[in-house]
Amino acid sequence: TVLGNTQISTAQYPSLTGKTSSLYFDGSGDYVTYANSTDWAFGSGDFTVRLWCRPASAQLDYMIHRGSSTGITAWSLYWNGTNSKFGTDGSINGSGYAWAFYSTSTYSLNTWHLVELVRSGTNIYIFVDGFMEGSASSVSGSLMSESTTLKIGSDAGGVYQYTGYMSEIEIYKGVALHTSAYTPPSDQIGRASCRER
């Protein structure tokens, strides 16, 4: 379901072979929701969530969020424009955050970045442009299970809405794509929007 005037825009897009557009959010009522699905209920298994983004706000904006309207997060990726860093948090069985951390480096507004959240065993990683920018260890157990929608461009409560562009949003269940630094892909050929193993 597309909310507000979320739109496909040709004004900006990542430098991937064949790309000519991206998804644009103006930060005011713009986001996309997907119905509840086991595809993004990761349990205790490995997973990868990644996307290309071009944030344009100096505020806290959630790029992708799975959680409840009460503020508890199963897992998320967000941009915090107040400290110019990307962040992630998540909960085990809804009992408080099992991890919550920011990227080590700071990043500029209006610049494309590939941001990736990975769980491999009991480790959580965040990568930006192929560089490991933070991690958490000893994250054991199943992630919070919620019968809620998946939101792109907002948190579950619709409070922290994203301003900017996004593209190539991917969810991999059962797959930890990377656990160390890597070279980001230069094209989207053969890239799946959702893969489960």
Side-chain angles (χ1 to χ4, degrees), residues 6 12-13 44 92 106 138 152 160 182 187:
T6 307
Q12 293 288 337
Y13 47 88
S44 59
I92 299 295
T106 58
S138 302
I152 297 174
Y160 300 102
Y182 67 96
D187 65 72

Side-chain angles (χ1 to χ4, degrees), residues 50-64:
R50 68 176 178 180
L51 51 84
W52 287 85
C53 62
R54 190 177 191 270
S57 168
Q59 301 177 7
L60 175 62
D61 296 349
Y62 275 85
M63 299 182 295
I64 185 165

Side-chain angles (χ1 to χ4, degrees), residues 1 4 17 39 43 52 56 71 80 87 95-98 109 120-121 126 147 173-174 185:
T1 302
T17 304
D39 288 345
W52 287 85
N80 192 340
S95 57
Y97 288 116
L109 290 173
S120 176
I126 187 171
S147 59
K173 183 177 182 178

Side-chain angles (χ1 to χ4, degrees), residues 25-38:
F25 306 83
D26 68 10
S28 179
D30 288 6
Y31 53 92
V32 178
T33 67
Y34 286 87
N36 181 47
S37 171
T38 57

Side-chain angles (χ1 to χ4, degrees), residues 78-147:
Y78 56 88
W79 161 256
N80 192 340
T82 62
N83 61 15
S84 302
K85 295 184 176 185
F86 292 101
T88 176
D89 52 30
S91 174
I92 299 295
N93 295 324
S95 57
Y97 288 116
W99 77 89
F101 58 88
Y102 288 113
S103 60
T104 302
S105 304
T106 58
Y107 294 90
S108 301
L109 290 173
N110 302 309
T111 303
W112 282 102
H113 297 288
L114 177 61
V115 185
E116 182 174 303
L117 169 64
V118 176
R119 181 180 187 176
S120 176
T122 60
N123 297 311
I124 301 289
Y125 305 99
I126 187 171
F127 297 88
V128 182
D129 299 331
F131 295 98
M132 186 186 294
E133 281 288 321
S135 64
S137 59
S138 302
V139 179
S140 59
S142 294
L143 301 190
M144 184 188 71
S145 178
E146 274 289 332
S147 59

Side-chain angles (χ1 to χ4, degrees), residues 141-197:
S142 294
L143 301 190
M144 184 188 71
S145 178
E146 274 289 332
S147 59
T148 56
T149 59
L150 176 74
K151 283 190 169 62
I152 297 174
S154 174
D155 66 310
V159 177
Y160 300 102
Q161 298 176 11
Y162 179 78
T163 303
Y165 298 86
M166 276 193 261
S167 184
E168 304 299 304
I169 302 163
E170 301 175 297
I171 296 175
Y172 297 81
K173 183 177 182 178
V175 181
L177 287 183
H178 302 103
T179 57
S180 60
Y182 67 96
T183 301
S186 60
D187 65 72
Q188 79 277 21
I189 298 173
R191 292 158 62 95
S193 59
C194 183
R195 189 177 85 182
E196 183 171 355
R197 184 172 70 185

